[in-house]
Amino acid sequence: MRKIAAGNWKMNGTSSNLSEITLLADRHPKSDVEILICPPATLLGNASRLPGSITIGAQNCHTSQSGAHTGEISAQMIAELGAKYVIIGHSERRANNGETDNIVKKKAMVVQKEGLTPIVCIGESLKQRENGQTIAIIKEQLNGSLSSDAAKSPIVIAYEPVWAIGTGHIPSMSEISKVHEFCRKQLQKRFGDIAVRIPLLYGGSVKGSNAAEIFALKNVNGALVGGASLKADDFSQIVKALEDA
Ligand code: PEP
């Protein structure tokens, strides 16, 4: 399975920031890691046309391919712009845009139908963790966010504890290991042997300084990175740690 270093720029970046993607490509001309940048939708077309090895993805799409949905963007439109992945069900969208597991499942299905790869995000809140509900929440989100056909086309799962996103706090290595092992087993139980090929990313305050120990964990096949993906210098350290893992 190819390891993935995915950067989520969120609502950051205008055309002047495209040079960060070029810089990143220059740093990793022939990587065995899939290096993915998910810029805002406005940059997808121009980012996809840049020379170099960086793959481009979107941060969201609608459940429909077209229709009366003012201000929305469909998976078909994203595909036309040259993007290859779509982040689905990020905790910010679950919290701020009312995205339920069922909506996430529908979005992942339209993304796959368009030949793109969904990165389905799951993760517990701090309260859920403190109440000892982490595994129960992960199980519920994993089951509810994936259709019965989900493993028949490429798909990626990102475990992102909500409380670790943008905070500088990360779970202990054994906690990350435990959740990733649970995800792998759960996916195998549901989809069979094919599930060993589903990349499992960790996300939440990954930096150059902690990336190596996270990537050394079994069942961690890469990372979804927010803040540290904005600058090529920072993201390159994470990519390097994944290349060396
Ligand atoms: C994210 O938003 O998916 C994320 C992991 O952010 P950060 O790396 O900044 O914690």
Side-chain angles (χ1 to χ4, degrees):
M1 168 197 321
R2 199 170 180 206
K3 295 176 282 183
I4 303 172
N8 172 14
W9 281 10
K10 311 192 186 191
M11 200 173 71
N12 297 294
T14 54
S15 36
S16 65
N17 299 91
L18 290 172
S19 57
E20 296 296 332
I21 299 177
T22 307
L23 208 55
L24 192 61
D26 290 346
R27 298 263 166 87
H28 304 273
K30 276 197 189 126
S31 185
D32 58 350
V33 165
E34 171 94 299
I35 309 171
L36 170 68
I37 292 289
C38 301
T42 49
L43 295 179
L44 288 175
N46 286 342
S48 299
R49 282 188 289 274
L50 292 172
S53 55
I54 311 300
T55 305
I56 300 301
Q59 301 172 14
N60 175 45
C61 70
H62 197 266
T63 51
S64 303
Q65 290 298 43
S66 61
H69 304 291
T70 304
E72 296 286 349
I73 183 166
S74 74
Q76 193 178 40
M77 295 166 184
I78 289 167
E80 189 185 34
L81 290 172
K84 304 291 181 212
Y85 289 78
V86 187
I87 298 172
I88 298 293
H90 189 279
S91 63
E92 287 156 13
R93 294 205 58 87
R94 287 180 184 261
N96 304 334
N97 302 78
E99 291 196 4
T100 60
D101 288 339
N102 197 38
I103 292 173
V104 173
K105 175 164 71 181
K106 285 185 183 156
K107 289 187 175 193
M109 285 166 76
V110 291
V111 168
Q112 288 184 313
K113 200 164 166 227
E114 222 34 70
L116 305 175
T117 302
I119 300 178
V120 175
C121 301
I122 55 173
E124 82 287 358
S125 67
L126 185 57
K127 195 164 165 219
Q128 289 163 339
R129 167 161 289 247
E130 285 171 349
N131 288 340
Q133 295 173 296
T134 300
I135 292 295
I137 293 296
I138 294 305
K139 184 176 180 184
E140 184 183 311
Q141 291 184 346
L142 207 50
N143 288 342
S145 304
L146 303 182
S147 73
S148 51
D149 286 339
K152 290 187 180 158
S153 308
I155 190 162
V156 176
I157 306 296
Y159 167 55
E160 299 205 300
V162 178
W163 54 273
I165 294 178
T167 59
H169 301 300
I170 60 168
S172 68
M173 293 305 122
S174 70
E175 286 167 332
I176 296 175
S177 247
K178 189 176 157 200
V179 175
H180 278 244
E181 188 187 337
F182 176 79
C183 289
R184 180 69 70 211
K185 284 196 176 140
Q186 194 65 22
L187 291 168
Q188 278 176 296
K189 206 162 135 188
R190 186 158 173 210
F191 300 113
D193 287 347
I194 199 174
V196 297
R197 297 207 298 263
I198 299 177
L200 299 177
L201 312 185
Y202 167 77
S205 296
V206 178
K207 302 185 199 102
S209 54
N210 60 21
E213 60 173 341
I214 295 172
F215 296 149
L217 300 173
K218 199 176 162 211
N219 286 314
V220 174
N221 311 117
L224 179 55
V225 182
S229 71
L230 292 169
K231 294 280 172 215
D233 277 352
D234 297 333
F235 197 45
S236 180
Q237 289 177 35
I238 294 169
V239 173
K240 177 90 179 44
L242 192 54
E243 286 170 343
D244 294 345

